[in-house]
Amino acid sequence: MGDAAMDAVQRRLMFEDECILVDENDRVVGHDTKYNCHLMENIETGKFLHRAFSVFLFNSKYELLLQQRSATKVTFPLVWTNTCCSHPLYRDSELIEENILGVRNAAQRKLLDELGIAAQDVPVDEFTPLGRILYKAPSDGKWGEHEVDYLLFIVRDVGVHPNPDEVADVKYVNREQLKEILRKADAGEEGVKLSPWFRLVVDNFLFKWWDHVQNATLLQAADMITIHKLT
């Protein structure tokens, strides 16, 4: 996507939002625009690694809410992914390291922005951080991701009102339905594509963590010391 073709909403977010730059140990080293952080030519320098989060929201039937990213997204348009994926921003409320509160605050903000999920439906202390992954993934020739991604799980029944600027579609899936989506993506059927970070989480963690969701034992699965370097 050329800059001139960029959707006005996405353009504003790309230039106004400042991501938190970190080193490979997730220590804050600076900040820069979402635009600069997602250019592949910058990513390849290794200096634009930034903090991100991925929310996995389950309902009381232990079904996972998926979203399909909107067609106007600069990176990975129209791919299916976990409930919500974004970045804590370089602002006081989202830089709080204690109890991972900054990342939780960002997750609550983006669930409202993207999916219309009210803050009171997803209290920050209800998010369970399970781990961190470090990955790099090109989206197309120009754009990509290079992130330390916090994986946040939450079990809540919520009202969902997707923002069309951010989200093309949503659906809840059980394990078998997700496995069918994975099969279609692998087979290239129906144009189904998955985000690279979601696929990494699925392949490495999700199904065993799903057991903990159903058994209300998520804290047993948490490891916030390790940063898993996945490719």
Side-chain angles (χ1 to χ4, degrees):
M1 179 186 290
D3 290 1
M6 197 183 296
D7 173 78
V9 172
Q10 299 300 326
R11 177 187 293 274
R12 177 176 58 79
L13 295 174
M14 275 293 205
F15 286 102
E16 290 183 6
D17 285 356
E18 295 258 327
C19 292
I20 301 167
L21 299 181
V22 295
D23 64 17
E24 291 203 349
N25 296 308
D26 195 27
R27 289 187 293 248
V28 177
V29 296
H31 54 97
D32 212 318
T33 62
K34 282 177 72 173
Y35 183 92
N36 284 337
C37 288
H38 292 86
L39 283 172
M40 277 309 297
E41 63 187 66
N42 289 341
I43 289 170
E44 295 300 350
T45 71
K47 296 178 181 177
F48 287 83
L49 178 64
H50 56 278
R51 199 171 276 173
F53 64 83
S54 291
V55 174
F56 291 74
L57 184 147
F58 297 81
N59 61 19
S60 57
K61 295 190 288 186
Y62 307 117
E63 296 168 324
L64 174 61
L65 180 61
L66 303 183
Q67 70 153 279
Q68 184 183 33
R69 292 162 64 86
S70 81
T72 60
K73 296 291 278 188
V74 175
T75 56
F76 304 101
L78 293 177
V79 305
W80 283 92
T81 191
N82 49 282
T83 312
C84 180
C85 330
S86 192
H87 312 88
L89 300 180
Y90 194 80
R91 55 175 67 164
D92 288 347
S93 62
E94 299 183 12
L95 282 161
I96 302 168
E97 302 278 354
E98 186 178 357
N99 295 323
I100 312 175
L101 183 57
V103 175
R104 296 174 196 243
N105 284 337
Q108 187 187 62
R109 170 178 59 82
K110 285 304 290 184
L111 284 166
L112 178 62
D113 287 352
E114 294 190 0
L115 294 161
I117 297 173
Q120 61 264 30
D121 284 354
V122 282
V124 290
D125 58 0
E126 293 282 327
F127 291 106
T128 301
L130 288 189
R132 291 175 291 176
I133 63 171
L134 192 163
Y135 77 96
K136 179 163 63 176
S139 173
D140 56 23
K142 181 172 183 176
W143 305 103
E145 290 285 8
H146 191 204
E147 299 181 331
V148 174
D149 191 11
Y150 284 69
L151 309 178
L152 306 177
F153 277 50
I154 186 168
V155 183
R156 303 279 292 188
D157 287 323
V158 299
V160 180
H161 310 281
N163 172 0
D165 286 325
E166 297 283 346
V167 177
D169 199 3
V170 294
K171 61 181 159 191
Y172 281 97
V173 296
N174 60 30
R175 295 187 210 215
E176 295 311 310
Q177 289 165 329
L178 178 57
K179 287 174 182 175
E180 177 62 11
I181 291 170
L182 298 175
R183 187 196 65 75
K184 287 180 178 178
D186 288 343
E189 290 181 17
E190 300 174 22
V192 174
K193 295 181 180 178
L194 301 178
S195 75
W197 59 88
F198 179 49
R199 191 62 196 252
L200 287 170
V201 176
V202 169
D203 290 347
N204 289 276
F205 307 111
L206 182 59
F207 289 106
K208 62 186 177 187
W209 285 352
W210 212 314
D211 293 334
H212 288 285
V213 171
Q214 295 189 231
N215 295 327
T217 54
L218 274 174
L219 286 175
Q220 294 180 18
D223 172 10
M224 294 309 297
I225 296 173
T226 310
I227 299 174
H228 300 275
K229 294 183 180 181
L230 304 180
T231 53

